[in-house]
Amino acid sequence: MLDIAFKDFKAKKSRAAMCIIGVMACVLLIGVVNIVMYEMQSGLKGDLGTVKDNLYFEQNGTSFPPAGSIIDESIGNEVLDRSEVDTQKSTKALFAPLQGSTTGSDESPAMVVGLTPGKEQAFIGNNTVNGSSSLVGASENAVIIGSEIAKKYNVTVGGTFKVSDDEFKVVGIINKVGTGWPLTIDNSIVTSLSYAQTVSDRPNLISTVIISPNSQYTADTVETNLQDAYPKYDIYSQKDTQKTIDKNLKGVLTFMNMIVVMIFAVSMVLIMNVMMMSVKEKTKDIGTMRAIGTKKRSIMLLIIYESLILSTIGGLIGILLISPIYNVLGIFMGATSFNFTIPSAVVIQVVLIVLVIGTFSGLLPAYLANRISPIEALRHE
């Protein structure tokens, strides 16, 4: 039946070509939408990746980044002195939006992150840094900046940039991690705690204590102990990271999934219409096949095979075009590099969608073909 399906496909080239183009366009749109969702999810995970196994001790009602949290530095010292806390890897920290760092009404300000020199890894983690990843021994205004800040101020390692009356000397640049959203490393300016307090005009104040649990305690135990000891404060942990991701993406993902469902439905209807036309045109042929003893199952497979051929060819072309089309969109969005490759997870999703479209869009036409009476079909003109 597969060879007959290929013959029918070749015989109706113009109709098949139109169907393939339609499927290709639908698959291309589904692929691009899925990539956008994938990039947003992986980007946000990168943004919030600094949390990892750390705990953030902060004011009630704040999340990440804890820029809205205001804590007296003496409370931070108390927390660091507790036995559950690994003092070598934990640090007081100040998160403060840098005034004067925006150039447009919808642009988010850079985030100054003040830490104890030598404890930069508590925030930066294992992310790659070009230049120095430590502020120890550096000048007071030394900073390690995220990729978005480096791009925004067109600065390299060893250079300086000025925001309002504050001048910063760049000793390190962190490789791109996330999406560039305001809760990300990419949009941060890491400096010493004392300098961050001066720049933000918050003397003796911090936003959080980044806590690495002592090896004798689990993160859950430390979180419980701290929450009991300081009921007026919150402990932001890795499990809260997923809640933040879900909160930021819920509305967008719902909208994107609606688009995918609509495109999926259009693809199904498109192939189904083509296959129903094919069934109608082959009514006499189907009747002849039935008259000579061809089983209903074989007739059904013939229609489904033809449907799968159309969806597979259109799907493969669409998959091959996803990467270049996404790069073209990147040009319009201001991207500077065009070496994007499709994530394997997205390819698998699209392939499964193509197979589902091809199979299910052929079911109704196959059912109608099976209902054709051999006698009536032979009379069909």
Side-chain angles (χ1 to χ4, degrees), residues 34-53:
N34 277 333
I35 288 174
V36 170
M37 290 192 289
Y38 178 87
E39 289 284 288
M40 290 178 67
Q41 288 175 315
S42 59
L44 266 178
K45 287 178 181 177
D47 292 338
L48 296 167
T50 54
V51 177
K52 294 182 181 176
D53 297 324

Side-chain angles (χ1 to χ4, degrees), residues 55-370:
L55 300 173
Y56 277 68
F57 178 91
E58 53 195 50
Q59 189 178 10
N60 271 345
T62 54
S63 56
F64 188 88
S69 175
I70 300 175
I71 303 173
D72 192 279
E73 198 168 350
S74 61
I75 300 294
N77 292 330
E78 285 181 23
V79 173
L80 287 174
D81 286 339
R82 292 181 64 90
S83 60
E84 303 100 321
V85 178
D86 185 343
T87 55
Q88 298 301 313
K89 298 180 180 178
S90 305
T91 179
K92 296 174 289 185
L94 176 65
F95 286 70
L98 182 60
Q99 301 302 317
S101 60
T102 57
T103 56
S105 58
D106 59 346
E107 186 178 350
S108 300
M111 185 69 71
V112 173
V113 181
L115 306 167
T116 303
K119 306 287 184 68
E120 298 82 7
Q121 193 174 16
F123 176 70
I124 297 174
N126 296 321
N127 294 304
T128 305
V129 178
N130 297 316
S132 176
S133 60
S134 176
L135 297 168
V136 176
S139 60
E140 183 187 30
N141 66 337
V143 294
I144 302 168
I145 60 175
S147 58
E148 291 295 318
I149 299 298
K151 183 169 66 174
K152 179 176 180 177
Y153 292 101
N154 192 27
V155 64
T156 56
V157 175
T160 60
F161 67 98
K162 197 171 183 179
V163 180
S164 298
D165 297 326
D166 302 305
E167 186 175 69
F168 302 95
K169 181 175 177 59
V170 179
V171 297
I173 298 176
I174 309 165
N175 282 1
K176 187 172 178 62
V177 174
T179 61
W181 288 16
L183 43 77
T184 177
I185 293 178
D186 299 331
N187 204 39
S188 64
I189 300 174
V190 181
T191 185
S192 66
L193 176 59
S194 59
Y195 191 60
Q197 289 170 332
T198 300
V199 169
S200 61
D201 194 23
R202 296 185 185 182
N204 303 316
L205 295 175
I206 60 173
S207 302
T208 184
V209 180
I210 305 177
I211 299 168
S212 178
N214 196 307
S215 58
Q216 300 174 1
Y217 298 87
T218 65
D220 289 340
T221 301
V222 177
E223 182 178 356
T224 300
N225 291 351
L226 286 173
Q227 199 68 76
D228 291 341
Y230 298 93
K232 294 183 179 180
Y233 295 87
D234 282 337
I235 313 298
Y236 189 89
S237 62
Q238 190 174 33
K239 61 187 178 184
D240 297 312
T241 299
Q242 190 59 50
K243 293 180 182 178
T244 302
I245 292 174
D246 293 340
K247 180 181 177 182
N248 280 278
L249 291 179
K250 184 177 180 181
V252 177
L253 291 182
T254 300
F255 177 72
M256 292 288 195
N257 284 323
M258 287 176 62
I259 293 176
V260 170
V261 170
M262 290 175 64
I263 297 171
F264 179 82
V266 169
S267 301
M268 291 272 290
V269 171
L270 178 66
I271 297 182
M272 193 179 296
N273 284 337
V274 170
M275 295 312 302
M276 289 180 75
M277 289 173 60
S278 178
V279 168
K280 187 175 181 179
E281 291 175 359
K282 291 188 295 190
T283 298
K284 193 169 184 176
D285 294 335
I286 292 172
T288 302
M289 293 170 68
R290 290 290 309 281
I292 62 176
T294 304
K295 296 180 180 179
K296 287 186 176 182
R297 179 174 175 272
S298 298
I299 300 294
M300 177 174 284
L301 285 176
L302 171 63
I303 305 302
I304 292 177
Y305 282 155
E306 190 173 343
S307 175
L308 279 170
I309 290 170
L310 292 171
S311 64
T312 301
I313 294 175
L316 288 175
I317 296 173
I319 290 171
L320 292 174
L321 289 175
I322 288 175
S323 185
I325 292 297
Y326 196 78
N327 284 328
V328 170
L329 290 175
I331 295 174
F332 290 108
M333 296 293 289
T336 55
S337 61
F338 314 108
N339 56 352
F340 175 80
T341 54
I342 310 172
S344 57
V346 173
V347 174
I348 293 171
Q349 285 177 341
V350 174
V351 169
L352 289 175
I353 288 172
V354 168
L355 293 176
V356 170
I357 289 173
T359 302
F360 284 90
S361 60
L363 289 179
L364 180 59
Y367 171 75
L368 295 176
N370 273 335

